[in-house]
Every structure is written in C-alpha cells, then in structure tokens.
Amino acid sequence: MPPTDSALPHTPDGLDETDLALVEALQLRPRAPWARIASVIGIDATTAARRWRRLTDGGLAWMTAYPAQHASVVGYVDLACAPGALDALTAELCHWGPVFSVERTTGDHSLSLGVAAYDLPSLDDFVTGRLGRLDGVRSVRLSICTRVYREGSGWLVHTLNERQRTHLTGGDRRTRPRRPGGGPHEGDRRLLRALGTDARRGYAELARECGLSETTVRRRLARMIAGGEVSIRCDLTQQLAGWPVIATFRIAAPGPGTEAVAHALAGLPETRLCASVTGPDNLLLSAWLRSPADCLTLEQRILHRHPGLRIGERSITLHTAKRMGRLLDRWGRARTHVQITTAPEGGALDNPG
C-alpha cells in the first residue's frame, strides 16, 4: 500500500537525483529496455527496474498512454463556483471521462478543466448542458484549443546531460508526425485502454488482456508509435520532485507574429503546455516552477524577450486533482486512472461515475 499523507515528508525531497534521471530517461524513451535505461544513468538493469517499481508503488511517478489525437475538439473550461460546492464539484468532475484534467486555481474561476469532445456541437452540449447546470457552478468560460505547441509529454526533468540524452535517443528527439484523422483504429482501442493505466506493461501481459497474439501487439504498438498515433508519457509528482508551483498565463499575441512567439514559449524549459486558443488572449501557457516568486521572474523574462505581448491573466494552481486521466492526491501522487473519453454527439455522458 502507498504511504499515507501523514507519512510523507513536508519538504520536496521524495525523489533523489538517480530517480529524476530515471524519470527523464523514460520521458525520452518510455518503452526502452531496462538495460538501455540503466546504462545511461549508471546503474544496472535490476536496480533500475526496482527503483521504478518503488516510484510507481508510491505514486511518485507513472506512465500513461493515450491517443495523440484523443479528441477532434479540445476545450479549456474555467468554472466560477460557489465556495461551499468546490469539493463536491472537484470529486464529481474527476470521474468524468471527457474531463481529462482538473485544477483548482486562484482568481475568479476556481476550477480549470481540460475537456475532450467529438465535435463542436458535442462540446457545446457538454459545457452548457452538463457543466453549466451542475449545482454550485455560477459561470462558465470556454476557450477552444486551435493548436498545441507543447503538452506535458514534451516536458523534461533536465537531469541528464546532452551526452546521456544522445546515447539514449541516438540523437533523434524529433516529434513524430501524426497521421490525419479523428483517433485510433477500432482494433487499437483495447490496446490503448490497457496501456492507459501503465504504458510500460509487457507485450505478453498486453496480449493476454487484449485477446491478441504477442506478435500482433508488438506490430500494432510499433505502428502507432512510429506513426505518432499514440502519446506515451512519464509523469511524476511535482511537489516532491521540486516543482510545486503551476503558473498559468493567458497571453495576447499579435496576429502576424503569433506562430513564432508560440514556438519560442513552447521551447522554454518551464513550459508544460503552450496552446493557441480562441478569445482575446490567444495563447495559453502553463509552466512548472520552483516557487511562487518564479511566476514574476518568468513573466518578466517573457515580456523582455517579446515586448509586443500582453499578459491578460495569470493564476496559480492550488491543487491538481486530475492530470490526463490520472487522479492525484494532495501531494500530487498518482492514485486511480480514469479512461479518457470524448463528449459524444447528443451530449450523453458515458460512465460519469
């Protein structure tokens, strides 16, 4: 059993440098053999596997997989809530499949959600017909994502040196091109569901669960990875790893230069999410930081490099309750996993509980 909250340290020292190096190696090559991972970070394969088991058993790090195009439409939804309803709303929304992320934030909107939908009418039905009618919701703000420049799977711990990264990746760290289309083939869905809870599960175990041959599983997974159809990410509890602060900025960028600015912001080492969105503040930036004071430092650095930008809104996340389908406790440790689904046509909600 994972340790209780009371057993946790009250300082961000739950992961040592070897743990962080292990996490970064898995961020770069999520399904690489333990022997290859171990040779890069300077330990043996048995030790690497044992350390990873300790991290996953404690919820300190985890692997997940999801379709690279997990929805035709993604919306970022901010809810203004009655204070007395916040706990109940957080608990309920964490178990809704189309709500793939849930953060409690500062500012006028105390809940910030990531929502996956089949299409624009489905998103409208879900936001107005489901979210807007929940008890305790006072107002809803919706921004539609038009392009993602970086998401969490592109963020690195930055513990390995360049030589180690090159040895692990062979110098190829380019983003794989994604096939056009609205999601995975039907025959791949069971495989993706099995990988969602643990993206390092062995081929034999995946084959048994999916009712497929091991050869078929290897072939399908290799095709999905090579074609950019699946995102596999290694995540970790940010508080105990030393990045306890999430700062989110809504930025107004001038039309002609938006593309270049977005790429530059996505390239910052702190950036976890950079996306273009609808609305007057047309860029959404989320960053992991060491302290609240770093929020101002990052903002000043951004405006110094890009003086034409205007930051219209800034907030700090008080608690991340759900991240890409993974429910997190107050220390950011992984608990259960909720399969990411899309808000369907007609507004019906699959498996809300």
Side-chain angles (χ1 to χ4, degrees), residues 50 63 70 74 82 109-110 162 168 186 288 324 334 340 345:
R50 185 176 66 247
M63 301 280 295
H70 58 277
V74 169
H109 300 90
S110 48
E162 197 58 38
L168 183 63
E186 185 60 38
W288 279 15
M324 289 310 295
I340 298 174
E345 295 177 279

Side-chain angles (χ1 to χ4, degrees), residues 90 94 102-106 110-112 238-239 244 246 316-323 327-333:
T90 302
C94 277
V102 179
E103 296 184 12
R104 290 167 65 151
T105 66
T106 61
S110 48
L111 279 177
S112 180
Q238 65 191 80
Q239 290 92 329
I246 300 177
I316 288 179
T317 296
L318 302 173
H319 171 53
T320 300
K322 186 178 186 180
R323 180 184 301 144
L327 305 192
L328 309 179
D329 67 13
R330 64 184 294 268
W331 284 95
R333 299 172 303 179

Side-chain angles (χ1 to χ4, degrees), residues 88-298:
L89 285 169
T90 302
E92 179 170 357
L93 292 171
C94 277
H95 288 89
W96 287 17
V99 180
F100 57 83
S101 68
V102 179
E103 296 184 12
R104 290 167 65 151
T105 66
T106 61
D108 294 333
H109 300 90
S110 48
L111 279 177
S112 180
L113 316 175
V115 175
Y118 175 78
D119 57 17
L120 289 170
S122 301
L123 182 63
D124 179 41
D125 289 341
F126 185 78
V127 171
T128 59
R130 301 287 307 188
L131 294 176
R133 295 181 183 180
L134 290 172
D135 290 341
V137 173
R138 292 176 169 172
S139 67
V140 179
R141 178 176 67 179
L142 170 63
S143 301
I144 295 172
C145 176
T146 56
R147 181 173 176 181
V148 175
Y149 295 90
R150 174 184 271 186
E151 54 135 8
S153 62
W155 180 87
L156 294 176
V157 172
H158 287 289
T159 297
L160 301 178
N161 58 43
E162 197 58 38
R163 179 189 58 78
Q164 290 172 304
R165 295 191 189 107
T166 301
H167 178 67
L168 183 63
T169 65
D172 179 15
R173 291 164 55 197
R174 296 171 296 175
T175 302
R176 301 287 185 182
R178 296 180 179 180
R179 294 184 178 183
H185 301 297
E186 185 60 38
D188 299 331
R189 294 185 188 277
R190 280 185 299 170
L191 179 55
L192 281 170
R193 282 195 294 269
L195 285 167
T197 55
D198 180 5
R200 275 195 70 85
R201 297 176 73 181
Y203 294 109
E205 183 182 355
L206 292 170
R208 286 193 300 270
E209 180 165 331
C210 297
L212 301 169
S213 70
E214 189 173 336
T215 301
T216 299
V217 169
R218 286 180 179 272
R219 184 179 65 250
R220 287 188 177 182
L221 187 53
R223 170 179 52 78
M224 287 191 288
I225 293 174
E229 300 171 52
V230 58
S231 291
I232 301 178
R233 62 194 273 179
C234 178
D235 236 320
L236 77 167
T237 171
Q238 65 191 80
Q239 290 92 329
L240 299 183
W243 292 276
V245 176
I246 300 177
T248 300
F249 302 91
R250 286 183 173 266
I251 302 171
T258 299
E259 189 85 1
V261 168
H263 281 295
L265 296 178
L268 296 174
E270 300 93 338
T271 298
R272 286 280 298 190
L273 172 69
C274 182
S276 58
V277 295
T278 57
D281 296 328
N282 56 337
L283 289 178
L284 184 67
L285 178 73
S286 180
W288 279 15
L289 303 172
R290 300 286 186 182
S291 71
D294 288 339
C295 298
L296 178 59
T297 302
L298 177 60

